[in-house]
Amino acid sequence: MNVLLIGGGGREHALAWKIAQSSLLDELYVAPGNPGTVRHGRNADIDINNQKALRKFLLEKRIRIVVVGPEAPLVDGLHDRIVADPELNEVCVIGPKAEGARLEGSKDFAKEFMFRHNIPTAAHRTFVKGQLQEAIAHLDHMSAPYVVKADGLAAGKGVVITNDKKEAARTLRDMLQNDQFGVAGERVVLEQHLRGVELSAFLITDGTAFKMLPAAKDYKRIGAGDAGPNTGGMGAVSPVPFADKDFMQKVHDRIAAPTVRGLRKDGIAYSGFIFMGLMKVDGDPYVIEYNVRLGDPETQAILPRLRSDLLDLFEGIATGTLSERHVDVDDRTAVSIVLASEGYPGKYETGHEIGGLDLVRDAYVFQAGTTTKNGKLLTRGGRVLAVTGMGRTWRTPSPPPIGRPLSSTTKGSTCGPISATI
Ligand code: AMP
Ligand code: GLY
């Protein structure tokens, strides 16, 4: 079968790498892809927002499955547009329609959903434009730290957590009155602060059955020792050392199952991934947020552990037979480390040459912010590469001194290499 994968980051390189291993695959196209994805399929230069161009591509290339990596096209209704097009009724989209994508696209929607279906999450109140004074007054009924969230997608910048009530009030004003967060901030969620440790759990569903995928923990801060400003994610580990079988059973029973059941009850047909951003509080899971996609860099740590054929799972979604498919997971630990441009997550330079990838022997190298020019591989983004290693043993080391080169061999690692030449 022919597959179109949408996206161009490290997550999509990992997805392309995994999909390309399937015996069910004929042709893989990635739009726009990156220099890493061309190793596993063909990069396609199509404007997915142009329905005519998209339709032409899907028909010409006889695409059966469209896998959507990032959330924005789903929130914007890409799935709805494909389903509404009578010429495309053979195409199955992995990723929800706009209504289901509201789980990520609107924090208020997600909170109301969880409330309706008894899914554990922090207590909250939502305020809309015109309710600024009520929102500020509500801070008096809360205790610090104050959690203030813009309702809509805000490129990871829509959450402010502060001990200072005045700063919380200022944030409310910026969102509800000064339009500093655009439409995302026209509705604001004030939330109880949860104290615990975070992790990412994932499931795949055809709307009826679901399968848990390996969980991961990502590390968001830029610096060694989990210090400094937040980023999109600097690395991930899977499985999560503090999420044992009992805890993951609670995630399955209290979060995953009621989420899929809740979508059905609400009449929301959902196909694709659900990323449950969780806080472990006193041994119990609470939902911090839903995402309607896989995580980045979590994907680069979980897919190398997935033994099952991913395309077989997608076919299960396409035919409504996911319940009959199996998810088989490698019990080794995967650790993925992101190599970022100097300066990231602030201003950074691009255009630096990357060398040595062909020397990698016992790790997977997934490309994100890279480009090619005159046959050379160059940096192009903040997060440039994710390098994933696997092994049977793990321990928590003290942070290495900055600048120490990574060891190129890891005793005990048995994972096969992917050639990183482009
Ligand atoms: P979100 O975009 O909702 O995932 O929030 C971004 C980050 O803010 C999360 O990854 C958490 O680290 C933190 N956060 C969000 N909500 C809460 C909460 N209710 N309690 C504690 N931390 C939170
Ligand atoms: N690593 C967190 C995310 O993908 O949202």
Side-chain angles (χ1 to χ4, degrees):
M1 91 180 83
N2 294 348
V3 176
L4 170 64
L5 168 64
I6 290 171
R11 167 183 50 211
E12 286 75 25
H13 186 179
L15 278 163
W17 165 79
K18 183 69 189 163
I19 292 168
Q21 292 166 36
S22 172
S23 56
L24 301 170
L25 182 73
D26 292 312
E27 292 281 353
L28 172 64
Y29 299 90
V30 193
N34 67 34
T37 60
V38 292
R39 285 219 16 98
H40 314 293
R42 294 174 204 208
N43 287 354
D45 183 20
I46 45 170
D47 176 3
I48 57 161
N49 295 313
N50 178 338
Q51 183 65 14
K52 221 172 129 188
L54 180 66
R55 179 196 302 120
K56 186 165 176 280
F57 185 88
L58 295 176
L59 291 173
E60 256 178 36
K61 305 295 184 197
R62 305 166 75 90
I63 302 291
R64 169 88 172 104
I65 306 261
V66 176
V67 185
V68 187
E71 69 282 5
L74 297 166
V75 174
D76 290 346
L78 176 76
H79 187 155
D80 307 63
R81 280 187 278 121
I82 290 177
V83 170
D85 196 323
E87 288 189 67
L88 299 179
N89 56 16
E90 293 288 306
V91 178
C92 167
V93 182
I94 307 299
K97 294 189 200 137
E99 197 184 17
R102 290 178 75 199
L103 278 184
E104 176 164 0
S106 165
K107 297 206 184 284
D108 177 49
F109 177 86
K111 296 298 283 191
E112 291 299 319
F113 175 86
M114 288 184 267
F115 183 72
R116 229 178 6 261
H117 300 293
N118 270 317
I119 296 167
T121 185
H124 84 289
R125 279 282 305 271
T126 299
F127 298 90
V128 296
K129 246 183 154 99
Q131 291 185 312
L132 175 63
Q133 290 318 321
E134 284 113 299
I136 291 175
H138 187 70
L139 294 174
D140 290 331
H141 302 288
M142 297 171 67
S143 47
Y146 305 95
V147 181
V148 186
K149 298 185 175 183
D151 177 58
L153 294 181
K157 297 188 173 69
V159 178
V160 173
I161 300 176
T162 175
N163 281 314
D164 178 357
K165 202 188 282 185
K166 285 202 183 107
E167 194 194 342
R170 217 167 26 244
T171 305
L172 285 170
R173 204 167 284 117
D174 285 346
M175 288 180 177
L176 288 172
Q177 194 173 59
N178 301 339
D179 291 336
Q180 286 199 6
F181 291 74
V183 279
E186 285 179 358
R187 195 177 274 265
V188 171
V189 173
L190 283 180
E191 217 173 88
Q192 168 202 11
H193 184 260
L194 296 176
R195 207 173 295 278
V197 51
E198 281 183 74
L199 68 150
S200 311
F202 301 92
L203 64 81
I204 184 167
T205 181
D206 58 8
T208 306
F210 73 92
K211 303 279 174 186
M212 294 298 288
L213 297 172
K217 166 147 187 69
D218 79 329
Y219 290 83
K220 290 208 172 65
R221 290 169 184 265
I222 186 73
D226 211 19
N230 263 346
T231 68
M234 294 304 293
V237 57
S238 175
V240 181
F242 54 83
D244 59 15
K245 225 171 144 211
D246 285 352
F247 178 78
M248 289 312 296
Q249 191 63 46
K250 288 183 192 172
V251 173
H252 176 282
D253 297 348
R254 299 182 192 176
I255 315 271
T259 297
V260 174
R261 222 170 25 236
L263 286 165
R264 259 168 78 79
K265 271 195 196 151
D266 290 351
I268 300 174
Y270 194 108
S271 59
F273 298 104
I274 300 181
F275 167 159
M276 296 157 279
L278 306 175
M279 188 78 86
K280 182 181 178 187
V281 185
D282 296 331
D284 290 326
Y286 289 78
V287 178
I288 292 277
E289 63 162 353
Y290 286 113
N291 296 308
V292 296
R293 53 176 172 81
L294 290 177
D296 190 338
E298 288 96 327
T299 306
Q300 294 89 313
I302 66 174
L303 289 188
R305 295 190 59 225
L306 185 67
R307 284 217 188 97
S308 313
D309 181 337
L310 191 56
L311 209 39
D312 180 59
L313 297 177
F314 292 162
E315 198 184 41
I317 291 180
T319 53
T321 56
L322 187 65
S323 63
E324 295 161 22
R325 318 284 161 143
H326 296 285
V327 170
D328 185 18
V329 176
D330 189 326
D331 61 8
R332 286 177 300 167
T333 293
V335 173
S336 191
I337 304 283
V338 169
L339 283 77
S341 299
E342 174 90 51
Y344 174 78
K347 234 172 101 95
Y348 54 82
E349 285 179 17
T350 58
H352 292 285
E353 190 175 348
I354 302 167
L357 296 192
D358 48 342
L359 302 176
V360 175
R361 287 287 171 268
D362 59 354
Y364 302 99
V365 179
F366 298 114
Q367 298 189 31
T370 58
T371 189
T372 47
K373 197 172 174 189
N374 303 327
K376 287 183 175 160
L377 185 65
L378 306 177
T379 64
R380 189 196 49 128
R383 292 190 291 175
V384 179
L385 303 170
V387 182
T388 304
M390 293 179 77
R392 293 216 168 271
T393 55
W394 63 268
R395 65 192 170 88
T396 311
S398 45
I402 288 168
R404 195 174 88 185
L406 288 169
S407 151
S408 62
T409 51
T410 312
K411 239 185 173 165
S413 168
T414 50
C415 93
I418 52 167
S419 161
T421 47
I422 51 162

